[in-house]
């Protein structure tokens, strides 16, 4: 599926609202699904030109709850609700809904992403981690050597000429 720039979306919506083309003609000419196009129109009517400019944001827990309660109370679809609250991706709403239904309010709390920043002067923690990794590495080396020796021992016992054979009892 092709991604559309904010300018392309605005131009398509304006062609629909202020031109003489139908929604079907526009969706066919630009190659977008009609449901996505109608979501663009709703968003544009509600929020204007700025609606399609992506703003990467985290939403507060209370906002997420309010959106989900609105959707349940009014029976609006995920796409309609996303358009009403200017949430760029309806998929976000779907994820919130599933998380809320399965895990409750705590699942809606924002989680920090990425690595924790290293603090200056925290060389002891880095050195401690390095020593731990070195110790684990040495333990794994010893384990590999032990398994090699064990394997060699088993191999040599299987090849040994003194190996006794079981007598089969045949009557």
């Amino acid at each position: 599926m092709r991604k559309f720039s904010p300018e392309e979306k605005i131009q398509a919506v304006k062609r629909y609202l202020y031109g003489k083309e139908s929604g079907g003609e526009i969706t066919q000419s630009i190659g977008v699904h009609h449901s996505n196009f109608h979501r663009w129109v709703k968003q544009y009517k509600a929020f204007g030109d700025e609606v399609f400019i992506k703003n990467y944001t985290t939403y507060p827990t209370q906002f997420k709850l309010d959106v989900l309660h609105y959707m349940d109370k009014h029976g609006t679809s995920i796409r309609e609700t996303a358009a009403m609250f200017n949430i760029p991706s309806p998929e976000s709403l779907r994820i919130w809904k599933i998380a809320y239904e399965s895990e409750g309010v705590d699942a809606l709390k924002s989680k920090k992403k990425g690595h924790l920043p290293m603090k200056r002067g925290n060389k002891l923690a880095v050195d401690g981690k390095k020593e731990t990794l070195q110790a684990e590495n040495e333990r794994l080396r010893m384990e590999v050597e032990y398994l090699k020796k064990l394997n060699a021992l088993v191999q040599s016992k299987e090849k040994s000429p003194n190996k006794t054979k079981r007598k089969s009892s045949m009557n």
Side-chain angles (χ1 to χ4, degrees):
M1 184 170 86
R2 180 175 169 245
K3 296 232 178 203
F4 292 89
S5 70
E7 294 79 19
E8 291 173 317
K9 291 178 182 179
I10 291 170
Q11 183 183 18
V13 169
K14 286 183 176 180
R15 281 172 51 194
Y16 173 72
L17 293 175
Y18 308 118
K20 295 181 181 177
E21 294 176 90
S22 70
E25 291 170 332
I26 295 170
T27 58
Q28 196 170 22
S29 72
I30 65 173
V32 67
H33 194 270
H34 65 88
S35 63
N36 288 334
F37 178 71
H38 290 296
R39 180 174 40 92
W40 296 350
V41 172
K42 285 180 186 175
Q43 287 176 313
Y44 182 82
K45 285 180 178 179
F47 300 103
D49 284 347
E50 302 299 314
V51 71
F52 299 120
I53 297 172
K54 289 187 179 184
N55 51 353
Y56 297 97
T57 184
T58 56
Y59 298 98
T61 305
Q62 189 58 49
F63 175 77
K64 294 176 185 179
L65 273 173
D66 292 342
V67 169
L68 292 173
H69 289 311
Y70 178 89
M71 190 166 62
D72 287 341
K73 182 179 177 183
H74 294 92
T76 56
S77 71
I78 289 176
R79 286 184 182 271
E80 290 172 325
T81 308
M84 287 179 200
F85 288 93
N86 196 22
I87 299 170
S89 172
E91 182 65 15
S92 298
L93 271 179
R94 190 184 70 75
I95 291 169
W96 297 350
K97 184 176 181 180
I98 291 170
Y100 180 67
E101 289 171 351
S102 63
E103 301 173 39
V105 177
D106 289 339
L108 297 178
K109 291 182 180 173
S110 296
K111 295 156 188 79
K112 291 194 176 194
K113 296 180 181 178
H115 296 286
L116 294 174
M118 282 186 53
K119 296 176 184 162
R120 287 187 174 194
N122 199 6
K123 189 161 174 56
L124 292 175
V126 172
D127 288 343
K129 189 172 184 176
K130 184 177 180 182
E131 288 171 5
T132 304
L133 290 173
Q134 286 174 338
E136 182 181 7
N137 198 11
E138 184 61 29
R139 182 188 61 77
L140 291 171
R141 278 192 187 117
M142 290 183 344
E143 188 176 322
V144 166
E145 285 301 314
Y146 172 78
L147 291 172
K148 282 181 182 176
K149 288 179 182 180
L150 181 64
N151 190 29
L153 183 64
V154 168
Q155 295 280 332
S156 69
K157 287 212 179 224
E158 286 178 355
K159 293 180 181 178
S160 174
N162 297 339
K163 191 173 177 183
T164 59
K165 295 184 180 180
R166 285 191 188 175
K167 291 182 181 180
S168 60
S169 57
M170 296 174 99
N171 291 342

